[in-house]
Amino acid sequence: RWIKFEEKVEAGGERWSAPHIPALPLHSLFQLRTCLQKGTILLDLDASNFREIIDKVLSVQPEEAELQPKLRERLAALLLRQPQHQPTKSPLQLLTELSFSSCRGRHGTRPWLATRPQSEPGAQLSETPLKEQLRNRFKKKVPPGAEAAHVAVGEVEFLEKPFTAFIRLKRGVALGSLAEVALPSRFVFILLGPRARVKACHEVGRAMATLLTDELFQRVAWEAEHREDLITGMEAFLDELTVLPPGKWDPSARIPPPSCLLSPHRRTAVHAPDRQSQGNGDVAAAADRAGLGHPRSGEELERTGRLFGGLLRDIQRKAPWYGSDFSDALHPQCLSAVLYIYLATVTNAITFGGMLGDATANMQGVLESFLGTAFAGSIFCLFSGQPLTILSSTGPMLVFERLLFSFSQDHSLDYLEFRLWIGLWVAFFGVVLVATEASHLVRYFTRFTEEGFCALISLIFIYDSLKKMWSLADTFPINWQYRLDNVTSYSCVCNLSSPCELKQLCLCMTPPLLPALSPQPPTAMTGLSRTQCLSQGGHLLGTSCQYVPDVTLLSFLLFGGTFLSCTALKHFRSSCYFPAGVRKLVSDFAIILAILASCAIDAILGLETPKLLVPSELKPTNPVRGWIVFPFGANPWWVCLVSVVPAILVTILIFMDQQITAVILNRREYKLQKGAGFHLDLLCVSLLMVVTSVTGLPWYVSATVISLAHMESLRKESATSAPGEHPQFLGIREQRLTGLTVFVLMGVSVFMAPVLRHIPMPVLYGVFLHMGVVALNSIQLTDRVRLLLMPAKHQPDFTYLRHVPLRRVHLFTVIQLLCLALLWVVKSTTAAIIFPVMV
C-alpha cells in the first residue's frame, strides 16, 4: 500500500513494514509506458460499482485484442473476487490474539477463540464495506478528502498475452470491500499476464502505484483527456528520475523517508538535468531562495502618505479576525500555553519587581510589577495588532529607572512626578511616530540586526537563570571543608549570653576544658529555633550554623532536572514510543508536566528550598507613595519641559525594543495568517505609558524571549500524516485568549499566594533556562556558530552553503559574534540604556 511511501506486508504476513521510499527497476517503468501506450484507457468512466467497471472494461477491448466470451467470464470472475487485506491492529488486539494463541497451543484447539478470517477463499467482492474496513485504524492516517486508487496485478494460467487497463472514474465511488479502508475511489489500474511474467507484472504494478502517489503525475492523471497526456506525464516523471548504478548499493535495503520533501512548485521550476549541469548556478540558487523569501510582507509596512494611514490599515486588517481571535483559542493546547507562560511571566515579574524595588527604594516593587503587568498585558492583548506578544519590563528600562531615581535624589526632585512627565512625553512622541508611519523603517531591519538582538536577549535569560542559581550558594552556603572524620565537631546552638559575657567565660576556662564546654555554654538553649533565637536577642554558635548543603544540592538538581525534562518532553512528539495522540499531548503539556514533577519531588523530600513568594496585600510597596501620581506640586514647573530630553531617549529605546521584537515574531517562517500590526502595537504601548506613569507602575514593552516561547507553545502541526511522513508545520494558533488569560491570572495572583508558594524558584529558573536555549536555537546564528567547529564533510546541507563560500559564511558569523560581544559589554555597564540604539 502507498499513501506517500511504500509499505509491504512482511514475510511472516503479520504486520506492515516500516514506510520507505520505493526502489523501482528501470525496466518496469519502460514496461509501464508500453502498457499505457497499448492497453485500454478509460477516462471519466461513469460507473457506480466495481462490477460495472469490469463489465465496461472487458467490453471495450479493441478488435485485435478482443476477448473470447469464455475468457471474458473467467477474467470477470477473477477480478470480482474479494481481496485479502492485512488489517492494522492495535497493541491491545495483538496482545489478545497472542494470549488466545497460547491458550490454543497449551489446551488444544478452541474453535470459539479462533479469529474469523476476513473472507473465504473465492468469495465475491461485497458491494458494501465490511466491518473490518469501517473499523480499520489505518484510516486515521489518511488525509481528509483523500480518494483511493487500486492497482490489481497478477498472473493467470489462461492468458497468453497481458491484459491492461487504466480507468479514471468520473466521480469518486465507494467500491464496496475492494479497498483496505472505506474510501471513495477514483483510479483503477489492472495488469494480468501469463504465469511466466509474474515478476514483471508485480514490478509494473509497483511502478504504477508509485506514479499515482507522485503529486505532479496526479495532476496529469486528473486533467488528462487523451492517452498521450498520460504518456507525457510519465515522460516528465522519467525526466526527474535518478538512477543508482548496480553494485553500489543494496537493492533490498529500504531507504527511510526524508525529514522534508521538495515541494511540487519547486520541482517544476528546477529540473534534475539543470541542477546537474549548472551545479551552484543561478537557476538552483533562485529556486532555493524562493522558499526563503523576505521574512515580512511588504503590504503591512508600506507608507500610505496620510496621517495615521498605517494605523487605519492595521485596524482594517485585524478587525475581520477579531471574533476568531477568541474562538480559535478553544483547544487543549491553549491551556498548556496559558499555564506555561503564566509561570514564566510571574517569575519575570518577581525578578524585575525585586530589582526595581532595590533601584528605586521600593517606589516600584513586586506588587506594582504584578499589577502593571496584569493591566498593561490585558489591554495590549485586547487591542493590539499582534496579541501573541507578551509585555514585560526589560533590562534597558531597569537601567533607566535606576539612573532616573539617582538623578532625582541628587537634585532633590520627586522621582514619581519627574517620571510622570517623561512618560507623558514618551506617549506623545509615540503617537507622533504612529501618525507619521515611522514603523515603515522596520523594513530596513536585516537578519543581522534581528539575530543580534534575539541572541543577546536569549543569552541574558540563560545568564540570569544561572546567576540566580549560583547566588543560592551564598544564601545556603556549602561547607567545602567538610571532612567525615570531623563529624563530631559540627554543631549549632542558640546562645542567649551577650558577646562580652561569652568572652569573659572563655577567658576563665582552662584550655583543656574549652573544647568540651564550647559546643554548649551554660546559657545555651537547645529547644529554640533559629527564628526564636534571633527574636530573643540571642545568636547562633557553632561550626555548622551557616551551612545547609542539602538545600543547594537539591536546588541545582531541581534546576537541571526541570530544564532537561522540559527539553526531553518537548521533543517527545517525534519519539517512536506510544501512539501519536499521546506523544502530541505530552509534548503540548511538556513544561507543565516538568514543573509538576519537580514540585512533587521537592514536596516529597521536604527540604526548605527557596519558594515563589507573591505579594498577599494590595497596597504600595513603599507606604510613602499612593496609587495616583499628580503632575504638579512636588517639583518646580520647569521639570515638565526638561523631561523632554530623557523622554526622547526613552522613545528611541521603546521604538527599537518594540519593533525589533515585532519583526522577529512576524517572520514569514511562522506562517501567520492574520497579519501584523506594527503601527497598532506601537500605539497601544504608547497609550499604556500614560496610565502606567500616572499610577506609578513600571513601563512595559514586548518581551522577546517570552513572546517567542508563547508562539512556540502554540505551534500547529498536521493532525494526519502518511506513514513515514513527518507532521507538517501549519503555523501558529493565532488568538488573543491565551495572553489575556495569562495577564488576568497575573492580576489575581495576589489571592493565589497560598498555592503559588509551593513552587520552588529553582524549578522556574530551569524553565527560564529552557526558554533562553529554545530562543537561541531558533536563529540561524546558532547553526553558523556550530559550523565553525565542524569539518566540512560533516556540515549539514544548509541552503546558504550551496551558494555562499564557506569562508564568507565564517566571516559573517565572526563579525556577528564580535558585535554581540560589544552589545554584551554595553549591556553590563551604565550605558545599557543606549543598547537598543546600538542594535
Side-chain angles (χ1 to χ4, degrees):
R1 67 185 180 190
W2 283 256
I3 292 186
K4 282 184 177 294
F5 305 101
E6 183 181 20
E7 295 177 87
K8 297 178 180 178
V9 178
E10 299 287 16
E14 293 294 332
R15 71 181 189 98
W16 288 98
S17 69
H20 54 275
I21 298 174
L24 304 174
L26 186 61
H27 189 63
S28 66
L29 291 167
F30 294 149
Q31 288 181 311
L32 177 59
R33 181 173 57 182
T34 302
C35 292
L36 294 178
Q37 290 172 342
K38 298 182 178 180
T40 302
I41 304 293
L42 297 178
L43 301 177
D44 293 333
L45 178 64
D46 191 6
S48 58
N49 54 64
F50 194 59
R51 182 180 294 277
E52 189 176 348
I53 293 173
I54 297 302
D55 291 341
K56 290 186 178 181
V57 168
L58 295 176
S59 62
V60 297
Q61 294 295 310
E63 295 183 0
E64 62 274 9
E66 187 174 0
L67 301 173
Q68 298 296 325
K70 187 176 181 180
L71 184 59
R72 187 183 305 172
E73 292 177 2
R74 296 183 67 179
L75 282 175
L78 177 63
L79 293 172
L80 291 174
R81 285 185 180 180
Q82 171 63 44
Q84 296 289 328
H85 296 300
Q86 174 64 35
T88 302
K89 301 177 182 178
S90 66
L92 182 60
Q93 289 175 320
L94 294 174
L95 184 61
T96 304
E97 292 182 5
L98 180 62
S99 61
F100 285 171
S101 63
S102 62
C103 292
R104 289 194 298 270
R106 184 175 302 176
H107 303 290
T109 303
R110 296 188 180 183
W112 59 88
L113 293 177
T115 56
R116 183 179 59 85
Q118 289 191 20
S119 60
E120 298 295 334
Q124 290 294 309
L125 187 71
S126 173
E127 294 186 1
T128 58
L130 302 176
K131 292 181 180 180
E132 290 81 0
Q133 291 176 278
L134 299 176
R135 294 183 302 191
N136 197 326
R137 299 173 62 253
F138 183 70
K139 192 172 183 178
K140 296 180 180 179
K141 295 290 186 180
V142 180
E147 293 180 325
H150 304 274
V151 177
V153 297
E155 82 290 352
V156 290
E157 298 177 350
F158 53 83
L159 279 181
E160 298 179 356
K161 55 184 179 179
F163 170 78
T164 308
F166 179 85
I167 305 103
R168 184 185 69 198
L169 300 177
K170 188 175 183 179
R171 63 184 183 280
V173 177
L175 299 181
S177 59
L178 182 63
E180 181 183 355
V181 292
L183 287 174
S185 302
R186 179 71 66 166
F187 298 98
V188 178
F189 177 76
I190 301 171
L191 174 60
L192 298 176
R195 183 173 292 277
R197 305 189 62 180
V198 56
K199 191 64 177 177
C201 292
H202 177 74
E203 294 300 333
V204 171
R206 291 183 63 241
M208 187 73 239
T210 304
L211 207 61
L212 287 172
T213 57
D214 182 74
E215 295 185 22
L216 295 183
F217 185 81
Q218 285 178 12
R219 298 178 187 175
V220 174
W222 270 84
E223 301 171 359
E225 298 181 358
H226 307 284
R227 183 193 305 267
E228 290 74 17
D229 296 334
L230 293 174
I231 297 174
T232 302
M234 186 171 179
E235 294 289 348
F237 180 84
L238 292 173
D239 288 340
E240 293 189 71
L241 203 63
T242 300
V243 178
L244 297 175
K248 303 300 182 182
W249 75 296
D250 184 6
S252 63
R254 293 172 178 172
I255 306 175
S259 57
C260 60
L261 299 174
L262 199 64
S263 59
H265 73 273
R266 293 181 66 186
R267 284 178 53 192
T268 56
V270 184
H271 298 290
D274 296 333
R275 287 200 301 270
Q276 296 297 330
S277 61
Q278 296 184 14
N280 291 341
D282 296 335
V283 176
D288 284 329
R289 292 180 185 125
L292 299 176
H294 197 267
R296 299 164 296 279
S297 59
E299 176 192 359
E300 298 158 349
L301 298 173
E302 288 180 357
R303 298 197 64 177
T304 63
R306 304 188 306 272
L307 285 177
F308 296 102
L311 176 63
L312 294 177
R313 276 191 176 182
D314 286 350
I315 295 175
Q316 293 171 356
R317 185 185 308 111
K318 301 298 293 187
W321 299 101
Y322 199 78
S324 65
D325 283 343
F326 294 92
S327 60
D328 290 348
L330 303 178
H331 192 275
Q333 186 182 22
C334 295
L335 175 62
S336 168
V338 166
L339 297 176
Y340 171 31
I341 301 303
Y342 166 68
L343 292 175
T345 308
V346 165
T347 308
N348 195 57
I350 290 176
T351 302
F352 275 100
M355 291 188 290
L356 270 175
D358 295 339
T360 63
N362 285 330
M363 287 297 181
Q364 298 178 75
V366 176
L367 179 64
E368 287 80 6
S369 180
F370 267 74
L371 296 180
T373 304
F375 173 77
S378 301
I379 298 299
F380 188 86
C381 286
L382 283 173
F383 302 107
S384 67
Q386 182 49 272
L388 296 175
T389 304
I390 301 296
L391 295 189
S392 173
S393 299
T394 60
M397 283 294 186
L398 177 62
V399 173
F400 178 81
E401 297 279 11
R402 181 183 293 112
L403 295 176
L404 181 62
F405 183 79
S406 300
F407 181 84
S408 301
Q409 294 291 101
D410 295 341
H411 295 82
S412 301
L413 297 175
D414 185 80
Y415 161 69
L416 290 180
E417 184 179 315
F418 192 13
R419 182 178 179 274
L420 168 62
W421 281 108
I422 295 175
L424 295 177
W425 279 113
V426 170
F428 171 75
F429 291 143
V431 174
V432 171
L433 291 176
V434 174
T436 56
E437 300 179 297
S439 294
H440 84 283
L441 297 173
V442 168
R443 66 170 64 243
Y444 300 110
F445 291 173
T446 62
R447 178 181 288 272
F448 187 96
T449 303
E450 298 170 25
E451 290 186 344
F453 183 82
C454 186
L456 181 64
I457 302 301
S458 303
L459 289 174
I460 290 175
F461 261 66
I462 296 172
Y463 172 77
D464 285 345
S465 62
L466 295 173
K467 181 181 177 182
K468 288 287 185 181
M469 288 303 303
W470 188 253
S471 66
L472 289 179
D474 298 329
T475 308
F476 305 99
I478 298 176
N479 185 7
W480 299 105
Q481 307 301 324
Y482 177 83
R483 296 293 181 271
L484 183 61
D485 190 53
N486 299 332
V487 66
T488 56
S489 64
Y490 294 109
S491 65
C492 181
V493 295
C494 176
N495 182 23
L496 296 179
S497 302
S498 63
C500 60
E501 293 176 353
L502 179 63
K503 183 177 181 181
Q504 294 175 359
L505 178 65
C506 293
L507 292 175
C508 295
M509 292 179 182
T510 57
L513 297 177
L514 182 59
L517 295 177
S518 58
Q520 188 164 342
T523 55
M525 301 293 293
T526 58
L528 297 180
S529 66
R530 177 180 179 275
T531 304
Q532 293 171 337
C533 177
L534 297 178
S535 64
Q536 295 184 21
H539 61 277
L540 302 177
L541 182 66
T543 55
S544 62
C545 293
Q546 303 299 323
Y547 304 116
V548 192
D550 293 337
V551 171
T552 302
L553 176 61
L554 179 61
S555 297
F556 273 94
L557 290 177
L558 291 175
F559 172 73
T562 303
F563 169 70
L564 295 177
S565 299
C566 290
T567 305
L569 293 177
K570 203 65 182 176
H571 291 130
F572 193 70
R573 186 190 299 266
S574 58
S575 170
C576 301
Y577 303 101
F578 299 101
V582 176
R583 297 198 305 266
K584 183 177 184 300
L585 186 65
V586 171
S587 178
D588 288 341
F589 287 84
I591 311 300
I592 304 304
L593 292 175
I595 292 175
L596 291 177
S598 299
C599 291
I601 293 174
D602 177 77
I604 292 172
L605 296 179
L607 292 179
E608 295 183 0
T609 53
K611 299 297 193 295
L612 178 64
L613 298 179
V614 179
S616 56
E617 295 181 347
L618 287 174
K619 62 180 183 180
T621 306
N622 192 325
V624 176
R625 57 156 291 181
W627 286 117
I628 300 296
V629 180
F630 296 97
F632 297 103
N635 291 333
W637 64 269
W638 45 263
V639 171
C640 62
L641 302 179
V642 175
S643 303
V644 174
V645 178
I648 294 176
L649 185 59
V650 176
T651 302
I652 297 174
L653 186 153
I654 288 178
F655 179 82
M656 297 296 293
D657 210 345
Q658 171 67 33
Q659 300 296 47
I660 292 178
T661 302
V663 165
I664 294 173
L665 297 182
N666 289 284
R667 283 177 175 172
R668 179 170 295 176
E669 50 259 39
Y670 287 122
K671 299 182 180 180
L672 300 180
Q673 302 297 319
K674 299 181 180 181
F678 293 94
H679 308 281
L680 184 56
D681 288 348
L682 184 59
L683 178 67
C684 290
V685 171
S686 301
L687 296 181
L688 286 171
M689 290 287 292
V690 177
V691 182
T692 54
S693 299
V694 170
T695 55
L697 300 177
W699 292 330
Y700 296 96
V701 292
S702 299
T704 308
V705 173
I706 300 181
S707 299
L708 283 174
H710 188 203
M711 296 189 69
E712 287 293 329
S713 65
L714 294 171
R715 289 172 64 93
K716 293 190 299 183
E717 293 185 345
S718 54
T720 58
S721 56
E725 181 186 23
H726 294 267
Q728 296 182 357
F729 172 62
L730 302 179
I732 304 296
R733 205 172 298 280
E734 301 175 63
Q735 36 71 45
R736 298 178 184 270
L737 200 56
T738 54
L740 180 62
T741 307
V742 165
F743 292 114
V744 170
L745 290 175
M746 282 289 297
V748 300
S749 294
V750 175
F751 308 103
M752 296 192 298
V755 177
L756 296 176
R757 64 167 52 107
H758 294 289
I759 302 177
M761 289 302 295
V763 173
L764 299 180
Y765 295 148
V767 174
F768 261 46
L769 178 63
H770 171 74
M771 292 167 57
V773 171
V774 170
L776 193 63
N777 287 332
S778 68
I779 58 178
Q780 190 190 89
L781 173 62
T782 307
D783 295 331
R784 286 187 276 106
V785 170
R786 294 192 185 106
L787 291 179
L788 292 172
L789 308 175
M790 288 185 189
K793 64 179 180 179
H794 295 301
Q795 292 174 353
D797 187 21
F798 293 132
T799 302
Y800 52 84
L801 291 180
R802 299 183 181 184
H803 314 298
V804 182
L806 187 60
R807 64 180 181 276
R808 294 188 63 184
V809 173
H810 289 339
L811 177 62
F812 183 79
T813 305
V814 170
I815 294 175
Q816 262 190 309
L817 292 177
L818 292 176
C819 293
L820 183 60
L822 177 61
L823 287 175
W824 185 272
V825 172
V826 172
K827 190 251 353 158
S828 303
T829 64
T830 55
I833 190 173
I834 66 170
F835 125 79
V837 181
M838 295 191 64
V839 172

